[in-house]
Amino acid sequence: MTSDSSTQGRRTPDVLWNSRFLKACRREPTDVTPVWLMRQAGRYMSEYRSLRSKVSFLELCKTPELAAETTIFAAETLGVDAAILFADILLILEPLGFDLEFSKGEGPVIHNPIGEPADVARMEPLTDVSALGYVYEAVRLIRAGLPSVMPLIGFAGAPFTLACYAIEGGGSRHYVKAKTFMYRHPAAWDALMTILTDSTARYLNAQVAAGAQAVQLFDSWVGSIGPDEYRRFVQPHMKRLFAQIEPGVATLHFGTDTGSLLELQRDAGGMVIGLDWRVELDRAWDLLGPGVGVQGNLDPIALFAPLDEIAGQTRRILKQAAGRPGHIFNLGHGILPHTPVDHVRALVQMVHEFSVK
Ligand code: 1CP
């Protein structure tokens, strides 16, 4: 096996270890820039909508055969360089005691959100992660069904973003409840973040044991706090989380609206840092330094634009990456419903075509 002496390094077959995506995670040169897209399986695809007309979102996540089919279909249809497990960041909240529902058209609802410190005191970290066994079974089926050269990305929500949902009880615009809880009850906040951190580390390692080659932490809403709050309320937990991931596994650290947090996120961990479209890729990478890769950063709404606009933006991003090893092309956030599928496919082709060395 290649350069890495860690457990996962030895476990990963050569064809996967030498895939474009995993090479880029390690900042090794690749023939062309690898690309995958957040939410590459989802409502913008008619096949997904047709499946969803028969089963609810949670049923889909909890039926490993269907989740696997959804992942594999999206990755193969798009011609991307990595597949991502079909699941949701909120699934882990169920075995932690939260009553989770995905209501039609309104996104997730948690019927028993955290309201006071006593609610946290009643929680326990997931020591036995087998409650999420359906996720690992999906990982096994995906790994078995994917082309042997295509890496599989496992994922979880980062503790801050999970805490936002657990306290708000659903999506939110300003995170008033979550941030108020953080300021008003720092000890309970710390206890909650610790429980989420330890549970998430075990959950991700179980995905790795089942066959994922990389893991991405989605800290989608962390851009709602500033650097001082990140340092005090988030960074120590993220450091501990990344430190607990099996050595040799590729790690990706994603957030949105994180222009002022990037260096702090880098110091918290992750081989690759996600960039949204609000930052210039070249300036952000200069700031981060050569010790990490970057992933991003096309505006998902650019996919609604005519193909020549998409081509122009793709060329600009590739030019900003300037062939530095360690760039993984992606959107700055997930693909939105109603995105034209042919534009998504064209984007993947453009990235490969425009980045030939
Ligand atoms: O079919 C449907 O109606 C459900 C739509 C949907 C889908 C396709 C949801 C509900 N989740 C997912 C899948 C999903 N979620 C994936 C799978 C695979 C892929 O990328 O192809 C992933 C990685 C996620 C992660 C996720 N879920 C995040 C982090 C990424 C991000 O977009 O920031 C978040 C914040 C969620 C919560 C969530 N789940 C679903 C919705 C609508 C939301 C967001 C709600 C909100 O705005 O707060």
Side-chain angles (χ1 to χ4, degrees):
M1 201 86 334
T2 8
S3 56
D4 191 288
S5 61
S6 68
T7 339
Q8 177 64 19
R10 281 197 304 272
R11 217 190 288 148
T12 307
D14 273 344
V15 277
L16 277 173
W17 185 260
N18 294 322
S19 63
R20 269 177 207 152
F21 171 79
L22 290 177
K23 275 185 162 174
C25 290
R26 301 192 301 268
R27 299 190 314 285
E28 293 170 17
T30 53
D31 55 346
V32 298
T33 301
V35 52
W36 71 280
L37 305 164
M38 289 182 280
R39 294 276 178 106
Q40 62 194 24
R43 280 174 291 182
Y44 75 105
M45 281 185 167
S46 59
E47 295 81 359
Y48 177 85
R49 290 194 304 273
S50 134
L51 182 57
R52 279 281 286 102
S53 68
K54 295 178 215 118
V55 293
S56 72
F57 178 64
L58 273 180
E59 270 174 82
L60 173 48
C61 292
K62 291 180 181 183
T63 312
E65 294 73 17
L66 294 181
E69 186 188 312
T70 304
T71 290
I72 296 168
F73 177 80
E76 293 196 327
T77 309
L78 298 177
V80 285
D81 296 297
I84 181 161
L85 162 69
F86 191 84
D88 195 84
I89 63 163
L90 301 176
L91 298 175
I92 197 174
L93 294 180
E94 279 192 328
L96 286 169
F98 294 92
D99 180 6
L100 172 66
E101 188 194 342
F102 285 87
S103 58
K104 246 199 155 65
E106 285 168 37
V109 182
I110 288 138
H111 294 289
N112 56 346
I114 290 168
E116 49 184 74
D119 298 330
V120 177
R122 278 192 287 275
M123 284 176 68
E124 285 191 29
L126 270 189
T127 40
D128 174 10
V129 286
S130 64
L132 292 155
Y134 59 87
V135 173
Y136 322 132
E137 185 53 25
V139 170
R140 273 186 283 274
L141 294 176
I142 297 166
R143 188 61 275 161
L146 276 180
S148 57
V149 293
M150 191 181 288
L152 172 61
I153 305 168
F155 72 91
F160 176 85
T161 293
L162 290 177
C164 283
Y165 282 102
I167 297 170
E168 298 285 341
S172 169
R173 190 166 156 77
H174 295 296
Y175 307 97
V176 175
K177 289 180 192 158
K179 289 171 66 176
T180 303
F181 190 96
M182 178 179 91
Y183 291 127
R184 210 182 264 172
H185 309 295
W189 172 266
D190 197 66
L192 173 61
M193 291 289 281
T194 301
I195 290 170
L196 293 171
T197 297
D198 294 340
S199 308
T200 300
R202 291 183 192 118
Y203 176 47
L204 287 175
N205 284 332
Q207 293 180 27
V208 168
Q213 285 68 49
V215 293
Q216 174 154 319
L217 277 157
F218 284 94
D219 214 350
S220 305
W221 311 138
V222 77
S224 62
I225 57 172
D228 179 57
E229 287 82 12
Y230 189 87
R231 245 182 244 112
R232 288 159 60 204
F233 296 109
V234 177
Q235 198 188 37
H237 301 283
M238 290 303 278
K239 276 190 180 162
R240 238 163 33 77
L241 180 40
F242 278 107
Q244 288 180 63
I245 303 299
E246 285 282 331
V249 176
T251 50
L252 301 105
H253 187 172
F254 167 78
T256 65
D257 228 338
T258 47
S260 68
L261 303 178
L262 290 173
E263 293 154 287
L264 296 170
Q265 287 184 298
R266 173 203 61 200
D267 294 346
M271 293 159 67
V272 178
I273 303 294
L275 303 175
D276 77 6
W277 62 95
R278 298 172 183 92
V279 295
E280 301 260 30
L281 186 138
D282 50 357
R283 291 179 61 181
W285 207 348
D286 288 346
L287 184 78
L288 288 167
V292 286
V294 300
Q295 178 171 273
N297 68 337
L298 184 72
D299 181 353
I301 295 175
L303 286 171
F304 290 87
L307 287 174
D308 57 348
E309 174 67 24
I310 299 175
Q313 294 212 21
T314 302
R315 285 189 197 279
R316 169 185 46 85
I317 290 168
L318 291 169
K319 195 166 167 222
Q320 290 182 317
R324 285 179 265 196
H327 177 218
I328 296 164
F329 199 103
N330 205 316
L331 305 176
H333 204 169
I335 299 183
L336 293 164
H338 310 299
T339 300
V341 180
D342 53 333
H343 286 197
V344 180
R345 254 197 245 108
L347 170 68
V348 173
Q349 279 175 16
M350 286 176 200
V351 173
H352 287 155
E353 201 180 304
F354 299 166
S355 64
V356 176
K357 302 274 151 45

